[in-house]
């Protein structure tokens, strides 16, 4: 049976019975410290952080939440999780080294996408040292087998991909971002004429060939004077470039151009996909639109065009904090009249200010999923803004959160272990990443050639405990789908 243990992670070593505080773990960013207990399992060495997810009367068994909890600050659990409707892990992949900002981390922007007509799972992995990151985007199929690693091209190193964006387009390309140190004239903002900034670079890269189809530089189009970020006395040097732009999302707009979002200019841009020219700017100091006073966003993330024609984003309002709450926003943008207005906002069920990170996902039926970024929570809303479910993972943060359908049968086989305690024999069965398991069947006998069915049990979470006769021998567990077909098997020692 799975067990919970209180942990603090340091140098990849687990220590028991230590209390730790997780920012925003259950109270939306309050001051109370929470006791974090990792879940252990009998059939595998995997562990998982606590997951608190509201229940719903609707059947959501074909949908899963995709999150990448991070705990680099406190040394708690970091990695990737697929979570079912009951708040149970379906797939767990823990970072091998999750302690310290310079260690390899995985799971940024993990989500389901489509590539060459098939659903794939993608994520960024690498070394985080914001704003400079060293990594690449991993693409795996529905058996979790790797099919591609995508990186930057042209004059940039392959592994200079920034962690913020991993979008696959309908053309089989991927939209990537990078932070590149470059010299710029900073005299208008109090710096030197030969100062240094982080240039926001966007590339569109062919996944199969690595060919770069677009190579866009923010410095070529967006002046440093548009930045809303404070210019500190020691900024603008080669050792500390000024992060004037801080691009954090790029997506395809409905006219085929790109929407590029920049946190530190409080603006997003419609960029011509061929020439790189900026067609229009919304927000910030150089907005091209007339907007009402209530259409104000700051330090925002994840700008995308919705199927209904509106533009959606996650409005952090921090950091520094400017508003009462972070929120999701839908904006009506009229490029004929050059006007913009706030159509709808999605507020958290409890007060939440996300100092960084965050996401907005709109599903085909109009439901919305907000990931609260620096607060490791995620909320599902009905289209009208009513909260359907709210969830939290025991970690420091979670960059983005997604809700998607996903069917997967791993190449790796199931796992099983048999234990006898107090005259009770139990076999524990799990299959990391398998979504189609409905039941577990246990076979046993004096030898491999004479096994009979000992028990059948409905799948009960990530790991299922199944009581057996005490003298059960030569035990094998079989994973069955809803039609009773065998998907995989494992020997229980």
């Amino acid at each position: 049976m799975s067990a919970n243990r209180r942990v603090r992670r340091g140098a990849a070593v687990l220590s028991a019975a230590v209390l730790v505080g997780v920012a925003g773990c259950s109270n939306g960013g309050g001051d109370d410290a929470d006791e974090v207990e990792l879940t252990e399992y009998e059939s595998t060495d995997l562990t998982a952080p606590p997951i608190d997810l509201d229940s719903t009367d609707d059947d959501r068994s074909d949908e899963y939440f995709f999150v990448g909890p991070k705990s680099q600050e406190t040394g708690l659990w970091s990695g990737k999780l697929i979570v079912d409707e009951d708040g149970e892990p379906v797939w767990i992949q823990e970072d091998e080294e999750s302690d310290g900002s310079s260690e390899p981390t995985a799971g940024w922007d993990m989500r389901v996408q489509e590539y060459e007509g098939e659903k794939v799972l993608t994520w960024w992995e690498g070394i985080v040292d914001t704003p400079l990151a060293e990594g690449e985007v991993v693409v795996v199929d529905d058996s979790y087998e790797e099919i591609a690693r995508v990186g930057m091209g042209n004059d940039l190193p392959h592994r200079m991909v920034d962690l913020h964006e991993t979008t696959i387009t309908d053309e089989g390309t991927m939209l990537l971002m990078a932070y590149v140190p470059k010299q710029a004239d900073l005299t208008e903002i109090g710096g030197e004429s030969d100062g240094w900034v982080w240039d926001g670079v966007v590339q569109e890269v062919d996944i199969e060939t690595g060919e770069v189809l677009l190579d866009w530089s923010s410095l070529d189009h967006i002046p440093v004077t548009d930045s809303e970020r404070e210019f500190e006395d020691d900024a603008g040097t080669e050792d500390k470039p000024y992060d004037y732009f801080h691009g954090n999302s790029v997506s395809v707009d409905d006219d085929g151009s790109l929407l590029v979002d920049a946190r530190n200019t409080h603006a997003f841009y419609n960029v011509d996909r061929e020439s790189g020219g900026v067609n229009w700017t919304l927000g910030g100091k150089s907005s091209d639109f007339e907007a009402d006073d209530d259409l104000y966003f700051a330090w925002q993330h994840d700008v995308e065009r919705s199927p209904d024609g509106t533009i959606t984003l996650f409005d952090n309002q921090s950091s520094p904090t400017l508003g009462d709450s972070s929120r999701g926003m839908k904006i009506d943008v009229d490029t004929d009249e050059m006007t913009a207005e706030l159509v709808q906002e999605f507020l958290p069920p409890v007060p939440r200010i996300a100092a960084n990170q965050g996401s907005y996902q709109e599903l085909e039926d109009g439901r919305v999923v907000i990931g609260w970024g620096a607060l490791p929570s995620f909320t599902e809303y009905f289209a009208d803004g009513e909260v359907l479910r709210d969830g939290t993972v025991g970690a420091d943060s979670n960059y983005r959160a997604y809700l998607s359908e996903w069917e997967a049968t791993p190449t790796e086989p199931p796992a099983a272990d048999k234990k006898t305690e107090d005259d009770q024999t139990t076999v524990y069965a799990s299959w990391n990443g398998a979504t189609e398991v409905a039941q577990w069947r246990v076979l046993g006998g004096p030898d491999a050639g004479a096994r009979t069915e000992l028990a059948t049990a409905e799948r009960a979470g990530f790991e299922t405990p199944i009581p057996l006769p005490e003298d059960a021998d030569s035990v094998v567990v079989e994973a069955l789908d809803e039609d009773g077909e065998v998907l995989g098997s494992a020997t229980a020692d």
Side-chain angles (χ1 to χ4, degrees), residues 8 16 30 32 40 74 97 113-114 131 163 195 224 243 259 282 302 313 338 352 368 380 389 406 433 489:
R8 184 183 187 89
D32 296 335
E40 292 181 299
T74 61
E97 297 287 347
Q113 301 196 70
E114 188 170 302
L163 53 84
V224 294
D243 188 11
L259 287 176
L282 178 55
D302 199 13
L313 59 86
M338 297 308 288
R352 288 175 180 150
V368 169
E380 179 185 0
R389 288 186 289 179
W406 177 244
S489 63

Side-chain angles (χ1 to χ4, degrees), residues 203-232:
Q203 288 189 352
E204 181 173 4
V205 177
D206 186 282
I207 294 175
E208 183 177 1
T209 66
E211 179 186 1
V212 177
L213 305 181
L214 171 70
D215 198 341
W216 185 85
S217 161
S218 66
L219 271 180
D220 291 342
H221 304 278
I222 314 300
V224 294
T225 51
D226 275 3
S227 186
E228 299 281 359
R229 180 172 179 173
E230 179 185 0
F231 187 78
E232 300 171 350

